[in-house]
Amino acid sequence: MIIEALIAVTFAASIAVLLAPDRVAGRLAAALSLLPVIGSLYMWSRFDATGNALMGGDIAFETMVPWLELGGYTLNWHVGVDGIGLPLVVLTTLLSTLAIVSAWTPIDDRQSQFYGLMLFMEANLLGVFTALDFFVWFVFWEAVLLPMYFLIGVWGGPRRKYAAIKFFVYTNIASLAMFIGFIALVFGLGDSVSSLDMPAIAQALRAGELGSLYGIPAATLQSVAFVAMFLGFAVKVPIVPFHTWLPDAHVEAPSPVSVMLAGVLLKMGTYALLRFNFTMMPETATAFAVPIALIAVISVIYGAMLALAQQDLKRIVAYSSVSSMGYVILGLIAYTTYGVGGATFQMIAHGLISGLMFMSVGVIYNATHTRMVGDMSGMADRMPVTTGILVAGAFGYMGLPLMAGFAGEFFIFKGAFESTVTGAMPLFTAAAMFGIVIVAGYLLFAMQRTLFGAFRLETDYEVGPAALHETVPLAILLVTIIVLGVAPDLFFGMIQDAVNPLLEFGGELA
């Protein structure tokens, strides 16, 4: 029952903070958010499950209780984790606490509401990564949108309402497409499934039990459903050309919200692609291998080129997220242990590094009140610790060895080069590797202009070293990135155990 306790405690914390006076809300939220961190680390220390939760493998901390009947299907409260879900649970709890602490400086209005919504969002994110019944999962999936909408729309920048509405419309339409595709598969399975239990549906689909639906042949139904679900999840990732909501959301959102958006919410899309499309319908995925790999490469290169053209530090990091998520898609479609495992590890690595980058930019903005590259220089003289950590995070983005980003990208490239889903995979992989060069270009250019040289600031503010509560979260993130880069098996071993079973289709390990 630890997962239920984790979610319930986080929900209760959000209510307690909502009711608390503004003057204590930030500290109270940070203190209460430590409880899920402790719980997730306890789960990690006790984790001993093997296999994939959707493929009949062990499910750690599992609870399955019949809930209600709906339309002839049994809905169950079914939660649990395997080696794919648990690392994302740990990432969610850690980033939530650090984002809350980093908000102490910039958030000075309606603090109890802000921190309450942050905790409410965390609780639903934990549900997304642990739910194993589609109905339960979908409730959590949709509930994440509400706090993010208000966090952007109320505490954001001058164009916050536009950005919040754009975010909500894009993701809601995407959810509808995904929902229609999945329910079509459930109806096509007919009597093969009597519930919306995700493991049962996954195993039925992989066993070839999908039938025709309203005269649509099974093969066509599965292909159409796959595309609908892929497009729905692609908006959440996001990948080109469904990425246009992301820069607006990041630029207008407060930096702590950007940390959660880039660090965790984007991982909802890649996690769902892995759980649904690539686990439940592997043959269909490999049939679409060429267009999916092409989309991944375009996202890598185009996202990096867009970042190269930006002058706003937040936009630079936002577009770099589009580029980084392209690597995850490339790893997933490789269908090798290192490809899919590396993609899952890269979700964690990118969550930490992008969180560090957005948090660092936020600390600089708190002091300078500008994010424009041309408005400042020489920040290293006035904020040495913050700029040092920002530089380290940027090198992590570039794939510096002994940092988590290098491990994730190395695993992906190794797995993609070895992939046999299409003969063109080595070419796609080589093209994607060029993205690293562009990443180095725009990050080094931005750092050279803003952090080094003679001090200059266009805005009229005194700049000095950041406060302790601003630098400690940055230091914790940097240490975590280095630890995972030095010892990736802290997570990669359990990820491999969960990934290998889903690669077994068509006779042998892909």
Side-chain angles (χ1 to χ4, degrees), residues 13 45 50 75 85 140 150 152 189 225 305 320 340 361 373 376 403 420 450 452 467 472 486 496 500 506:
S45 69
T50 58
L75 307 182
F140 284 125
F150 287 112
I152 297 173
L189 286 171
M305 293 298 291
S320 68
V340 181
V361 170
V373 172
M376 55 183 149
M403 300 186 83
T420 59
T450 59
F452 304 107
V472 167
V486 173
Q496 282 183 303
N500 283 335

Side-chain angles (χ1 to χ4, degrees), residues 4-87:
E4 288 85 345
L6 203 65
I7 296 172
V9 164
T10 312
F11 272 128
S14 71
I15 295 172
V17 172
L18 277 170
L19 298 176
D22 273 4
R23 66 179 184 277
V24 301
R27 271 62 178 176
L28 178 63
L32 293 178
S33 71
L34 289 173
L35 297 175
V37 175
I38 295 169
S40 66
L41 292 176
Y42 173 81
M43 291 169 63
W44 172 73
S45 69
R46 296 286 181 172
F47 182 82
D48 61 356
T50 58
N52 188 284
L54 268 60
M55 302 301 301
D58 297 337
I59 303 176
F61 315 109
E62 181 183 18
T63 302
M64 185 171 181
V65 179
W67 185 7
L68 54 88
E69 296 286 332
L70 183 66
Y73 293 92
T74 301
L75 307 182
N76 301 300
W77 172 262
H78 189 189
V79 294
V81 292
D82 58 8
I84 294 172
L86 181 57

Side-chain angles (χ1 to χ4, degrees), residues 393-481:
F395 278 109
Y397 241 133
M398 297 178 212
L400 184 72
L402 302 183
M403 300 186 83
F406 171 80
E409 290 175 1
F410 174 78
F411 294 148
I412 289 172
F413 293 147
K414 173 178 171 59
F417 269 121
E418 295 174 349
S419 175
T420 59
V421 294
T422 171
M425 277 302 287
L427 295 177
F428 286 127
T429 308
M433 293 179 74
F434 182 69
I436 298 176
V437 178
I438 307 175
V439 169
Y442 64 71
L443 287 177
L444 290 173
F445 173 76
M447 289 190 298
Q448 187 272 329
R449 291 193 62 189
T450 59
L451 304 182
F452 304 107
F455 176 77
R456 179 181 60 84
L457 181 63
E458 294 296 322
T459 56
D460 188 21
Y461 289 92
E462 290 293 328
V463 178
L468 188 64
H469 69 262
E470 294 179 311
T471 54
V472 167
L474 296 177
I476 292 173
L477 279 175
L478 180 59
V479 169
T480 307
I481 291 165

Side-chain angles (χ1 to χ4, degrees), residues 124-158:
N124 286 291
L125 285 166
L126 293 173
V128 168
F129 297 132
T130 58
L132 295 174
D133 180 275
F134 178 76
F135 181 81
V136 176
W137 177 87
F138 190 71
V139 168
F140 284 125
W141 174 273
E142 289 295 286
V144 169
L145 303 181
L146 295 175
M148 181 56 72
Y149 171 80
F150 287 112
L151 288 167
I152 297 173
V154 175
W155 290 274

